[in-house]
Amino acid sequence: MDTVSDTVVAEAGALRQFSERVGLAMGAAPDVAAEVARHLVSANLSGHDSHGALRWTQYVGELDEGELHPGARAELLHEHPVTALFDARRGFGQHSTMLATVWALARAREHGVAAAAVRHSMHIGCLGQYTERLALEGLVGVVTVGVAGAGSGSVAPFGAAARFLGTNPWSMAVPAEGRPPLVYDAATSTVAEGKVRLARAKAVEVPPGTVRDPEGRPTRDPAQLYAGGSLTVMGGDVAGHKGHGLSLASALIGGLAMIADPDPSPAGCMRPPETWGRRLAGVFVVAIDPAAFGDAAGYRRSVAGVLDDLQQVPPAPGFDGVLAPGDPERRSRERRAREGVPVPAATWRELGAIGERFGVALSPVGGGPSQAGAPVE
């Protein structure tokens, strides 16, 4: 362990091993625990600490509240040649969403395009991991997850002072010949909730215009979000209608997973049953094979050419260069695989407490190679 100021630098393999053992101790099957651990540490390596091992505190809280069912396995409810509906049964969302992604990948190879919806999902982590999986297989990927309804999520609609939306992210990835794919992954809130969670762990302020207190007033105190405040939609007071529209679309499209749902009540919902029908939520995965439209190799070469030209655009003052979405994450993975994963000391203490509860040692040294492993098949 190397402690710099209030940060612990942990070895990624050890962090992954710890995460897998915690998942097992919580009741997850070995393959589920392995996928969750791979996903979380891959997020840390990619620089998205807000979606990394820090999330164990959330998951344990959801376990205690009866919301998360670690032992649940996703179920394929029904399928057609190019569509499928999965029920995550409130198990770990990383595993159920990767199962849906792998299903869509296989069907798109056969039919050119495929879509899968997942209902009753818990937190699914970084969406870019699913679309990047598709792009590395030569396919175009689109993934979104969203929720909308009175009192839902942590985001206030444009012009509102109360919660109605989740952070409702979108991810899109496009394959490129001879170079890494484009991988776009972003919440439709100004910042993801995990960024505020990380700011709270670091005891720092959030950027202006990102959080409002319970009365709807701007604040830079991250704790106000967890006291009943809300996140703002992407675009803020000037162009928030853009994030607002994308967020609603995410929830309504994800809501396809809830058609004819015999159990529409959200996990841990405290609202009366008569309001359940006015809430939509779900995960939606789309895989597209460029070969269905013509020369797939030619398409990938064209994409690579555009991305290469993008990097030749002169940078604006104060910037070192122009990057394609996904490039910062790849650079971070290379660096952190060598140097380790920085973890806020407060988060490290929380992980230590979780380890003590489940009888899992938290060691910053050793634990295997510093990579996140391979996705579930």
Side-chain angles (χ1 to χ4, degrees):
M1 177 176 66
D2 177 28
T3 305
V4 179
S5 181
D6 58 351
T7 299
V8 175
V9 180
E11 196 272 327
L15 201 57
R16 187 177 70 251
Q17 185 179 73
F18 169 81
S19 294
E20 185 170 349
R21 289 178 176 174
V22 169
L24 288 169
M26 289 174 65
D31 59 326
V32 175
E35 175 61 15
V36 175
R38 184 207 65 79
H39 191 110
L40 292 177
V41 179
S42 179
N44 282 122
L45 286 168
S46 299
H48 295 299
D49 298 314
S50 57
H51 288 66
L54 165 150
R55 288 285 173 171
W56 281 118
T57 302
Q58 172 189 341
Y59 299 161
V60 171
E62 291 171 346
L63 171 71
D64 291 342
E65 293 169 7
E67 298 179 8
L68 173 65
H69 301 171
R73 298 195 68 89
E75 179 184 2
L76 177 59
L77 296 181
H78 60 75
E79 61 182 332
H80 298 288
V82 298
T83 60
L85 174 62
F86 290 83
D87 192 328
R89 301 173 61 210
R90 300 192 176 96
F92 282 110
Q94 292 92 342
H95 190 262
S96 55
T97 305
M98 189 58 82
L99 284 177
T101 299
V102 171
W103 183 94
L105 190 160
R107 291 304 179 95
R109 285 255 187 259
E110 184 178 356
H111 300 286
V113 64
V118 185
R119 72 187 188 197
H120 297 154
S121 175
M122 300 300 287
H123 185 247
I124 73 171
C126 287
L127 274 64
Q129 295 197 37
Y130 311 110
T131 56
E132 186 169 24
R133 173 70 189 275
L134 293 169
L136 291 174
E137 295 283 349
L139 305 184
V140 174
V142 180
V143 175
T144 190
V145 57
V147 58
S152 295
S154 57
V155 181
F158 182 53
R163 299 178 176 192
F164 190 88
L165 303 164
T167 55
N168 297 3
W170 286 85
S171 179
M172 288 155 272
V174 182
E177 191 74 27
R179 60 152 290 143
L182 175 145
V183 183
Y184 170 85
D185 178 2
T188 52
S189 51
T190 305
V191 296
E193 180 275 332
K195 305 293 185 186
V196 182
R197 187 183 296 264
L198 186 63
R200 183 178 62 170
K202 291 182 174 181
V204 298
E205 292 186 324
V206 294
T210 59
V211 174
R212 297 188 185 279
D213 69 16
E215 285 71 46
R217 298 171 301 199
T219 178
R220 298 194 64 186
D221 179 4
Q224 289 298 309
L225 175 63
Y226 305 100
S230 60
L231 296 169
T232 61
V233 287
M234 179 172 59
D237 293 336
V238 175
H241 61 285
K242 298 179 181 180
H244 175 69
L246 283 171
S247 184
L248 273 174
S250 172
L252 302 186
I253 293 171
L256 289 168
M258 296 179 66
I259 295 176
D261 185 356
D263 179 21
S265 61
C269 181
M270 301 302 293
R271 291 182 283 108
E274 58 266 23
T275 70
W276 293 349
R278 297 196 298 274
R279 175 186 182 275
L280 284 175
V283 181
F284 200 70
V285 179
V286 181
I288 305 165
D289 188 350
F293 299 88
D295 180 3
Y299 172 72
R300 292 193 298 270
R301 287 193 297 271
S302 295
V303 171
V306 170
L307 296 181
D308 289 342
D309 289 347
L310 173 69
Q311 294 182 314
Q312 303 306 313
V313 177
F319 291 85
D320 295 330
V322 180
L323 300 177
D327 287 344
E329 288 79 2
R330 283 183 284 272
R331 292 183 177 184
S332 176
R333 288 197 288 262
E334 294 174 359
R335 183 179 66 257
R336 290 188 170 188
R338 297 189 309 268
E339 301 174 359
V341 175
V343 181
T347 299
W348 189 259
R349 290 191 292 271
E350 291 174 349
L351 293 177
I354 290 171
E356 289 182 8
R357 169 175 170 176
F358 291 102
V360 178
L362 177 60
S363 171
V365 180
S370 300
Q371 60 250 355
V376 67
E377 296 293 347

